[in-house]
Amino acid sequence: MEILKKPILTEKASILTEKLNRYAFKVDPRANKLQIKSAVEDMFGVSVISVNTLVVSGKAKTRYTKAGYVSGRGPKYKKAIITIKDGETIDFYSTI
């Protein structure tokens, strides 16, 4: 099971990183906080202080087709917000 799927690089997540030294990741929905903490520490070599998780519900979507209006939902996902020790950083662009 791949625990960390991808980092979330939005404006809101960037503000969290700059002000509070927190990083956001999309994670496997079955992963718990201890698994997420160990995965981040192993992958990036940083000290994790805390892990907060939340499940983001899928966005409702509607579109007009020949058959009329078709409505559905986008997929839901689990998000983890990781707080790391002061003075440490995670560079997402060094592994490209």
Side-chain angles (χ1 to χ4, degrees):
M1 167 168 84
E2 186 184 331
I3 293 171
L4 297 177
K5 294 192 184 244
K6 65 180 188 178
I8 297 173
L9 302 171
T10 59
E11 262 187 70
K12 206 176 208 180
S14 301
I15 291 167
L16 276 177
T17 301
E18 290 166 14
K19 292 188 177 174
L20 302 170
N21 213 23
R22 293 181 175 186
Y23 294 86
F25 293 92
K26 271 190 182 178
V27 295
D28 191 287
R30 298 165 293 177
N32 62 33
K33 291 182 181 188
L34 295 173
Q35 292 171 326
I36 294 167
K37 179 179 179 178
S38 64
V40 170
E41 286 176 342
D42 292 344
M43 185 175 271
F44 298 106
V46 294
S47 302
V48 175
I49 294 172
S50 70
V51 177
N52 299 90
T53 60
L54 56 144
V55 176
V56 179
S57 60
K59 192 175 178 183
K61 300 192 174 208
T62 307
R63 66 175 180 210
Y64 184 73
T65 63
K66 281 194 278 187
Y69 282 102
V70 176
S71 61
R73 294 196 79 78
K76 69 177 187 175
Y77 61 93
K78 189 172 193 176
K79 186 195 298 192
I81 298 175
I82 286 94
T83 307
I84 62 173
K85 203 171 170 183
D86 284 339
E88 294 184 351
T89 59
I90 295 175
D91 187 13
F92 296 123
Y93 303 106
S94 66
T95 56
I96 295 176

